[in-house]
Amino acid sequence: MLTVKTSSEAEDIIFSTFGHIKMDIEEVGILNSVGRILANDIVSTENVPSFNRSTVDGFAVKAQNTFGCSEAIPAILNFKGEVLMGEAPSFEIGKDECAYVPTGGEIPAGADAMVMIEYSEDYGDGTRGMLKPSAPGQHVTFIGDDVKVGQTVLHSGTKLSAHHIGALAALGYESVPVYKKPVVSVISTGDELVDVNESPKGAEVRDINSFTICSALLELGCEYRKIGIIKDDLPLLESVMTKAFEDSDMVIVSGGSSVGVKDSTFKVLDKIGEVLFHGIAIKPGKPTILGNVNGKPGFGLPGHPLAAFYVFNLFVKPLIKSIAGESVSDRDFYNKKTANLTHSIPCNHGREECMGIKLKNENGRTMAEPVYAKSGLISVLSDSDGYIRIARDCEGLSQGEEVEIQLF
Amino acid sequence: MLTVKTSSEAEDIIFSTFGHIKMDIEEVGILNSVGRILANDIVSTENVPSFNRSTVDGFAVKAQNTFGCSEAIPAILNFKGEVLMGEAPSFEIGKDECAYVPTGGEIPAGADAMVMIEYSEDYGDGTRGMLKPSAPGQHVTFIGDDVKVGQTVLHSGTKLSAHHIGALAALGYESVPVYKKPVVSVISTGDELVDVNESPKGAEVRDINSFTICSALLELGCEYRKIGIIKDDLPLLESVMTKAFEDSDMVIVSGGSSVGVKDSTFKVLDKIGEVLFHGIAIKPGKPTILGNVNGKPGFGLPGHPLAAFYVFNLFVKPLIKSIAGESVSDRDFYNKKTANLTHSIPCNHGREECMGIKLKNENGRTMAEPVYAKSGLISVLSDSDGYIRIARDCEGLSQGEEVEIQLF
């Protein structure tokens, strides 16, 4: 008999068994890489900028030749010539020499600073007066100031977004290696389920889990295979699940996971693979199963759509991110938000609990409103922005207390 | 001569001119609606649940018949029968009667509460003893407890995510009306630009803006038309831009927007439409142009990729969201994060400034590290998680000070 696990025990089993799995790598064009996970470090093979560049219109000088100058006592320098935009200078700057360089132009060898054109005078005799001293490096971007050869610009595991793609374009990458999208098969079991386009009769309910889970997989950057409703028929479920494990990187079955007459998911996972746990002490979501079928993870989620969605978010999503190659980073804080409770939440009784939260903006302060509902399915799904986890030893949360919301 | 606008003046002009524009509506299957913007309110045409439903295995009773009962003095009720899962009860519950109802089963008319099976006894004579009183409504989900006929479940303007799609599936929606994706043409101008696959020579630089902006448009749910690099040739730019305005809902041109010899974007917008402003007092990003061409917005962004990206985020993105139908809601707080500065930032001088920020997690506290870089293009793009806006009258920000980061 498999005992019910705490959520941290469940996480440990999930990651110790499947944490090593990584998708293969494919090369895609950078505009197709938006939202994909970078599979190698991107190391610059170039210095950026590739030349010492002026950031102003003015005169390239040896800084020391301008020290102590002023409007009263200009530094008088010989005008060596003009550097054209986009052209390499054909001369160097020697002692007491200067050259005109436009913004973005290359600073000639020998020069180490710029004097802005407004602080110069043309004496008409081949000399220019500098009216303001310039420190070494002033108004100059040196070779490699932005990025140096050998510097890691983006790390493997980064989820690529517009600004990363700008950095890739700047470095001349037309394409990048990314992890392939995990393919996940999604099955709903249960004789009570009907398709979304049917009207449920009696105790029939629509298959909601196929939609929440496939949508969530899309948002995670996976490919989903929506197998749909499989009736509670053990041989049929076994053949469908066996095929699904062959065709995909992970199989998610919802429904049929309570211990009882209808525990078909458990029976199939136990037969075609190994069941690693059956039951997590969390509310809602207790009847959760993890199976290992030929090294691939198979999840049995509760049939109740809200429970299935919470379990997906809590336990399946982190594994998918790991398999998809996404590194856990400070960016994960993106999806969390702290806010203050609008209402107290009474204690639960020895079981970790998830509760839907609606975020509200009250005078610029973010407030967290618990989304209660007696049956609380559709209303929780439609109204919540995320959820909080209430620890199993929590003795209740008070109004105004700060909570951490995991955003959907 | 058009004067430089403050950022709030620019926002006012943008929204007063184009704030009324909304995309047309199309109907898509709910799994294709992930990330799309809902175009109508979703009003329930059903009560959910559609029958009074038991949340436990046990006996449906009239609550008042159990008042005062206990293990010592059970309430003895006549057993009326069993309700099968998924079937409508064929009988009602009268005074001193009870019926077995499984979890999820329908409660017969006349009953208003459930007694859990563990608090009952079977006397074998057609009666059952109730050992614990039940209050009216206990262990029952009544018709419409979750959602009532006529209730607005999702509001027009919602960006649809997995949990919303679950709510739609639960209500039997196979498809939903969403706003069409805005089509945005993206042009880079400038003789110094080369394609991403070319090696820049001299002062040439790669076209980065086409990639950051097209990627950002993808992330926003738009369709982009990447027109690419157009050389600084006024008749050519005019014909390309004219065609782009015909083909798309918005045109974004970067580069060529400084006041100077190369202000081609300004000249074309002025000729084929009306220029509404030229210049926003923001650093980086001053040379920003807004044009109105046959009622469609045309933006001229700065050529510098970081400036262009900031201006896109600050001024173009909000307009695109508005045109795409996305409602401004408390959800927008998703993309903001408060954190404490790791370093002081010196004052700027009378101009609002954007600065790249990298988020760091220090002992569970989110810290904001300013991403300085002298030239600061690639490194800011690759390292920043978002940016802060420093007000023009700000006299500097101190280490440890709380700032609000707009995430990329």
Side-chain angles (χ1 to χ4, degrees), chain B residues 188-260:
Chain B
S188 289
T189 66
D191 287 337
E192 79 283 15
L193 295 181
V194 297
D195 266 326
V196 63
N197 57 347
E198 293 180 47
S199 289
K201 291 181 263 322
E204 290 177 348
V205 291
R206 293 196 183 95
D207 170 26
I208 300 171
N209 290 336
S210 288
F211 291 93
T212 45
I213 294 168
C214 290
S215 305
L217 289 168
L218 262 185
E219 291 177 331
L220 275 171
C222 297
E223 273 180 34
Y224 63 80
R225 301 236 164 116
K226 179 174 168 286
I227 292 175
I229 302 167
I230 301 295
K231 295 287 174 192
D232 243 337
D233 169 334
L234 208 56
L236 173 64
L237 186 63
E238 181 182 332
S239 83
V240 170
M241 283 176 65
T242 303
K243 178 80 167 49
F245 274 104
E246 286 165 9
D247 290 348
S248 43
D249 301 300
M250 180 188 285
V251 177
I252 299 174
V253 186
S254 70
S257 64
S258 301
V259 182

Side-chain angles (χ1 to χ4, degrees), chain A residues 387-407:
Chain A
Y387 60 93
I388 55 171
R389 294 171 74 159
I390 306 171
R392 59 185 175 142
D393 54 359
C394 173
E395 295 186 347
L397 298 166
S398 309
Q399 187 181 357
E401 195 164 334
E402 191 174 87
V403 290
E404 187 176 63
I405 298 116
Q406 177 70 47
L407 300 176

Side-chain angles (χ1 to χ4, degrees), chain B residues 321 331-337 405-408:
Chain B
K321 286 189 172 207
R331 281 173 186 275
D332 295 331
F333 282 79
Y334 274 35
N335 291 320
K336 288 186 179 169
K337 185 124 198 106
I405 298 114
Q406 178 70 47
L407 299 176
F408 282 142

Side-chain angles (χ1 to χ4, degrees), chain A residues 51 55 151 214 274 286 323 369 376 390:
Chain A
F51 55 87
T55 63
Q151 185 180 331
C214 290
E274 182 196 0
K286 183 165 174 285
I323 290 175
E369 182 177 78
I390 306 171

Side-chain angles (χ1 to χ4, degrees), chain A residues 256-308:
Chain A
S257 65
S258 300
V259 182
V261 286
K262 296 193 170 186
D263 53 356
S264 324
T265 308
F266 177 87
K267 286 179 184 155
V268 174
L269 284 172
D270 193 42
K271 184 171 175 196
I272 67 173
E274 182 196 0
V275 173
L276 302 176
F277 63 71
H278 188 181
I280 304 176
I282 189 157
K283 179 184 170 189
K286 183 165 174 285
T288 297
I289 306 173
L290 177 67
N292 179 350
V293 178
N294 300 320
K296 291 180 180 175
F299 282 93
L301 304 189
H304 189 279
L306 200 58

Side-chain angles (χ1 to χ4, degrees), chain A residues 59 70-79 119-131:
Chain A
F59 291 91
S70 65
E71 287 198 34
I73 313 163
I76 297 170
L77 303 179
N78 294 311
F79 179 69
Y119 302 116
S120 71
E121 272 180 329
D122 185 350
Y123 298 125
D125 62 352
T127 64
R128 297 288 190 287
M130 303 297 133
L131 310 180

